């Protein structure tokens, strides 16, 4: 019987594991992808105190900390969380193991929606990114494109104008559709020549020279060519929560499938907490905010266990 | 004109400075006590990724990061924040300087609470201290007391056992209530005879011989006397907000004088954000949660500036 079972081995899950040990709560981390999405970021420059660190190195520091204090970490996938009549949880994994826990922290993160075109996987972190906040500064003075027409895509493009000399927005629909005020800000940058919008276009391929991205192939001509030279491609066509375990549990989700939490990282189900990219934070998800939510979840779970 | 003026140089303020640079927001940190209260903690073991680090070293890492990215940090005290008709803020400091900023982040932390008993002021730095990290070594081989029952008080007592031959913990309540791991460590020192806990007792007076502390007077008998002979008294009874700049600004406070914020680190005043120990978090304040709030404040201020 664990005091807290943590699902997910990213910044939120590992920070929670560290805190759970500090609070003497017996804990286990079950992670499908060790280190989470952050491990994909080749350079993290916004973890306070680390001027430059690879996502992988940062995650290994957190993992080492959690292990040093006594956490168990297992590579497996949770397929089912059942709340029992006694208020405890039974957690079942793909490998067929069963765990019992008094509280559960869901820190499973999100999966970035992929374009699923040639070159996307090959040039990941070599020009292909899913996070302007993480990687934007790497493209200072360069030419980049954001793929997508949502508010998030517009925000990514706006942020990128602070670094890149030129930002294309490539969108498959008639017209990008950010929040009006962000639309206005984008149009101002269009007037300044910093942003250029290519509507009604799909990216068919991401091209490179073997080591880095050199451009994209569009499904229509733009300025007389189907090829657009680029140094970077930011894919911002949304993320998808892995909700296979969330719906049967009955945890409340927002319209986008994120778990609704309050400032105490509590969900609608007593004893179930959530942290990190899977939650409905009203700001761009960051490693530091996920780590804080993990810590908060533990502090509040500790109180919950004492009251129970 | 700054995009964000940050008041306070603790984890929240410096994390915000780092993020403001990442968002290309021109920023300045004005700090009365460089590094904030955390610098007084000799050992931090719950900053994710740092198994053991001194509070001062952690803060220096954050400061280095903020400076490397271009933040200005000045040692001064903000005495007044005025919101102007144009929506910007004028900030006035004790040294008489004036700054203009589009947004303000209040991350001023808390001040140590005083006992307010006779002898406390008189013997400050002559046996009375608020920081074991700073002054502990002065009491090598001596007998000292920590006043307070919190986790901080326990940590101070544990640190002092490294110097003093005997450490009393004097607490007004039924039982001290540190983090479970620290409680365990304290109880081990009690068994060893290094720590002695006096519960249900208040200090009524700090006595001295005119030059240094000689003991305290308790409001109940302990071992047959109300007087306890001591060489040093470490007061660790929590902190109070410094509200001198908050009330004139009109920022909404809770009953304890903490600034009310929402999940976006927004206060009731557009353009004014708050983060760290000064806010009304519904959980124990941590460096990691303050740092996250600082980052969130910046991300939300960036959006606010774009919409304005």
């Amino acid at each position: 019987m664990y005091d807290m079972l943590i699902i997910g081995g990213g910044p939120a899950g590992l920070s929670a594991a560290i805190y759970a040990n500090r609070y003497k709560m017996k804990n286990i981390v079950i992670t499908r992808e060790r280190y989470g999405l952050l491990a994909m970021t080749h350079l993290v420059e916004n973890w306070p105190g680390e001027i430059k660190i690879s996502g992988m190195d940062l995650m290994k520091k957190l993992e080492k900390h959690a292990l040093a204090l006594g956490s168990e970490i297992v590579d497996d996938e949770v397929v089912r969380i059942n709340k029992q009549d006694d208020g405890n949880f039974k957690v079942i994994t793909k490998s067929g193991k069963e765990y019992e826990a008094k509280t559960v922290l869901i820190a499973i993160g999100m999966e970035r929606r992929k374009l699923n075109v040639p070159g996307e996987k090959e040039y990941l972190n070599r020009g292909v990114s899913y996070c302007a906040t993480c990687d934007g500064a790497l493209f200072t003075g360069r030419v980049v494109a954001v793929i997508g027409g949502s508010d998030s895509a517009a925000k990514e493009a706006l942020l990128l104008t602070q670094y890149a000399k030129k930002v294309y927005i490539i969108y498959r629909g008639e017209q990008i559709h950010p929040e009006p005020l962000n639309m206005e800000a984008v149009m101002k940058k269009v007037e300044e020549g910093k942003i250029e919008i290519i509507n009604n276009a799909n990216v068919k391929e991401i091209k490179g020279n073997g080591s880095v991205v050199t451009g994209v192939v569009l499904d229509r001509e733009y300025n007389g060519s189907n090829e657009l030279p680029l140094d970077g491609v930011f894919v911002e066509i949304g993320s998808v929560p892995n909700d296979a375990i969330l719906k049967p549990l009955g945890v409340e989700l927002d319209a986008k499938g994120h778990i609704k939490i309050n400032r105490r990282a509590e969900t609608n189900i007593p004893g179930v907490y959530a942290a990190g990219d899977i939650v409905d934070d009203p700001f761009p998800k960051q490693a530091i905010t996920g780590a804080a939510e993990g810590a908060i979840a533990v502090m509040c779970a500790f109180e919950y266990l004492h009251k129970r």
Side-chain angles (χ1 to χ4, degrees), chain A residues 17-22 27 63-72:
Chain A
I18 292 162
Y19 262 79
N21 293 318
R22 298 286 306 161
N27 65 93
E63 182 188 50
K64 199 173 157 191
H65 197 167
L67 290 172
L69 296 180
S71 292
E72 274 178 72

Side-chain angles (χ1 to χ4, degrees), chain A residues 232-300:
Chain A
V233 178
F234 288 83
V235 181
E236 187 58 53
I237 53 173
S239 319
V240 279
N242 175 355
D243 60 4
I245 57 169
L246 306 182
K247 292 212 169 144
L249 177 63
V251 72
E252 203 182 336
L253 308 177
D254 70 8
K256 289 179 178 170
H258 297 106
I259 301 175
K260 285 192 185 180
I261 61 167
N262 59 18
R263 284 177 71 198
R264 294 169 58 85
E266 293 163 337
T267 70
N268 60 311
I269 301 174
V272 177
Y273 301 81
D277 287 2
I278 190 66
V279 311
D280 64 335
D281 282 335
F283 41 78
K285 306 296 169 60
Q286 303 290 305
I288 188 79
T289 58
E293 286 159 355
I296 291 164
V298 170
M299 293 187 280
C300 296

Side-chain angles (χ1 to χ4, degrees), chain A residues 10-290:
Chain A
L14 290 179
S15 169
I18 292 162
Y19 262 79
N21 293 318
R22 298 286 306 161
Y23 276 76
K24 291 240 144 208
M25 286 162 61
K26 192 182 175 200
N27 65 93
I28 184 168
V29 178
I30 300 178
T31 177
R32 192 182 58 154
E33 271 178 279
R34 212 171 256 239
Y35 313 125
L37 261 190
L38 191 68
M40 282 168 55
T41 302
H42 96 293
L43 190 58
V44 175
E45 295 179 283
N46 55 13
W47 178 265
E50 300 289 346
I51 295 177
K52 283 179 198 294
I53 189 168
S54 76
M56 186 58 91
D57 284 348
L58 177 58
M59 293 315 302
K60 283 189 173 163
K61 282 184 78 167
L62 266 63
E63 182 188 50
K64 199 173 157 191
H65 197 167
L67 290 172
L69 296 180
S71 292
E72 274 178 72
I73 304 180
V74 301
D75 295 289
D76 203 346
E77 184 178 346
V78 169
V79 292
R80 182 98 196 175
I81 309 166
N82 290 321
K83 185 155 189 172
Q84 303 177 149
D85 292 340
D86 60 5
N88 295 327
F89 298 87
K90 181 170 278 177
V91 172
I92 300 155
T93 69
K94 203 168 190 175
S95 76
K97 289 224 172 65
E98 282 190 14
Y99 299 88
E100 268 205 299
K102 292 178 186 163
T103 68
V104 171
L105 173 65
I106 304 175
I108 55 177
M110 298 280 282
E111 283 172 47
R112 300 310 291 264
R113 186 173 281 133
K114 307 288 191 298
L115 281 172
N116 291 320
V117 298
E120 185 179 19
K121 230 182 238 169
E122 292 82 337
Y123 290 103
L124 177 65
N125 292 333
R126 298 192 291 154
V128 175
S129 168
Y130 298 87
C131 175
T133 306
C134 321
D135 300 329
L138 301 171
F139 295 89
T140 301
R142 305 300 187 86
V143 178
V144 301
V146 173
I147 318 294
S150 66
D151 191 53
S152 299
K155 280 157 76 178
E156 295 273 275
L158 286 169
L159 176 59
L160 286 167
T161 60
Q162 313 226 5
Y163 305 110
K165 73 173 174 204
K166 176 82 171 225
V167 180
Y168 292 95
I169 298 177
I170 303 173
Y171 178 50
R172 60 182 177 170
E174 282 296 324
Q175 180 58 279
I176 64 167
H177 49 85
E179 276 182 23
L181 282 163
N182 287 326
M183 184 65 176
E184 209 168 82
V186 166
M187 293 320 292
K188 217 172 126 195
K189 293 289 177 191
V190 168
E191 277 163 39
E192 291 168 17
K194 288 282 282 186
I195 289 183
E196 204 167 318
I197 302 174
I198 309 176
N199 286 318
N200 298 310
N202 288 287
V203 170
K204 284 170 60 186
E205 186 181 346
I206 296 172
K207 295 209 117 176
N209 60 11
S211 67
V212 294
V213 163
T214 57
V216 293
V217 180
L218 302 176
D219 65 351
R220 75 167 175 91
E221 277 196 3
Y222 182 73
N223 287 344
S225 168
N226 282 67
E227 294 204 15
L228 183 70
L230 292 169
D231 301 303
V233 178
F234 288 83
V235 181
E236 187 58 53
I237 53 173
S239 319
V240 279
N242 175 355
D243 60 4
I245 57 169
L246 306 182
K247 292 212 169 144
L249 177 63
V251 72
E252 203 182 336
L253 308 177
D254 70 8
K256 289 179 178 170
H258 297 106
I259 301 175
K260 285 192 185 180
I261 61 167
N262 59 18
R263 284 177 71 198
R264 294 169 58 85
E266 293 163 337
T267 70
N268 60 311
I269 301 174
V272 177
Y273 301 81
D277 287 2
I278 190 66
V279 311
D280 64 335
D281 282 335
F283 41 78
K285 306 296 169 60
Q286 303 290 305
I288 188 79
T289 58

